[in-house]
Each structure stands twice: as structure tokens, then as C-alpha cells.
């Protein structure tokens, strides 16, 4: 997490000082910064026991997977609001699947 944060900050600093405003306002860069911000904020809130355990792990896992997907897949032409909508939909899907798997493996019946 530290290395990803440092690389995003370094990229932003290089773009800022080279006056590359397009790189700073790129939807992918903005989404990556948003996702690492959500991951860090969620980690702090979970550590302070403010984030409910029902949502904290889902938000952490869904955000890490989203960061991977945004970085690995070709979303260069996708607008930032669209990426946020995809992220929200992915979190809902992740919550449903995570909850189902968790309840399946925590039920008292042997599987």
C-alpha cells in the first residue's frame, strides 16, 4: 500500500512540475487516487473500530480488486463518473458474493 501510494504521489508530482495537466486529470489516475484513498481511509476506520465489520472487509477487498482491475484493464477512454459507477456496482456484487460465501462456510451444517 505504501509503495502504491508513493508511486501515485510521485507520478502526480512529476506531472505537476512538468505542467502535464492532462496526466493529473486523467480518469484512470483520478480513479487510482480515489481507490487508494478509500483503502487507506477504510483501514484507519477499521483500526479505530469505527467501520462495521459487516462492511469493512468488503470495502477493503472490493477496493483492492477494483484498483487491480482499473490498473490492468484498458479503461483509458472511460470517464471518471463511469468508473465510479462501475466501482459502486462492483462493491455491491462483491458484498453479495462475500456475504454468501461467508454464510455458506460459517453455517453449522457440514459441507
Amino acid at each position: 500500500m505504501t509503495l502504491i501510494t508513493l508511486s501515485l504521489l510521485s507520478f502526480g508530482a512529476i506531472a505537476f512540475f512538468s505542467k502535464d495537466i492532462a496526466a493529473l486529470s486523467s480518469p484512470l489516475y483520478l480513479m487510482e487516487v480515489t481507490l487508494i484513498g478509500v483503502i487507506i481511509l477504510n483501514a484507519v476506520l477499521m483500526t479505530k473500530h469505527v467501520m462495521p465489520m459487516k462492511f469493512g472487509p468488503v470495502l477493503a477487498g472490493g477496493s483492492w480488486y477494483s484498483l487491480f482491475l482499473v490498473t490492468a484493464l484498458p479503461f483509458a477512454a472511460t470517464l471518471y463518473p463511469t468508473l465510479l459507477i462501475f466501482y459502486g456496482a462492483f462493491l455491491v456484487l462483491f458484498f453479495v458474493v462475500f456475504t454468501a460465501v461467508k454464510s455458506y462456510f460459517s453455517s453449522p451444517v457440514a459441507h
Side-chain angles (χ1 to χ4, degrees):
M1 182 166 51
T2 302
L3 291 176
I4 293 171
T5 303
L6 288 175
S7 69
L8 286 171
L9 290 173
S10 298
F11 177 83
I14 291 168
F16 177 78
F17 288 115
S18 65
K19 309 269 193 266
D20 188 1
I21 303 304
L24 285 175
S25 61
S26 154
L28 287 179
Y29 178 70
L30 293 174
M31 192 63 195
E32 289 171 342
V33 170
T34 300
L35 289 170
I36 201 70
V38 168
I39 291 167
I40 291 169
L41 180 62
N42 184 52
V44 169
L45 293 177
M46 285 181 67
T47 301
K48 294 183 180 277
H49 303 285
V50 175
M51 176 63 71
M53 287 305 291
K54 183 175 184 176
F55 301 114
V58 172
L59 189 58
S63 297
W64 276 112
Y65 280 115
S66 295
L67 183 60
F68 167 73
L69 293 173
V70 163
T71 304
L73 297 178
F75 284 112
T78 309
L79 299 174
Y80 181 70
T82 306
L83 290 171
L84 284 175
I85 291 169
F86 285 155
Y87 172 56
F90 183 74
L91 283 180
V92 170
L93 176 67
F94 197 83
F95 178 77
V96 170
V97 171
F98 185 81
T99 304
V101 169
K102 186 175 160 185
S103 69
Y104 177 79
F105 284 109
S106 64
S107 67
V109 180
H111 299 286

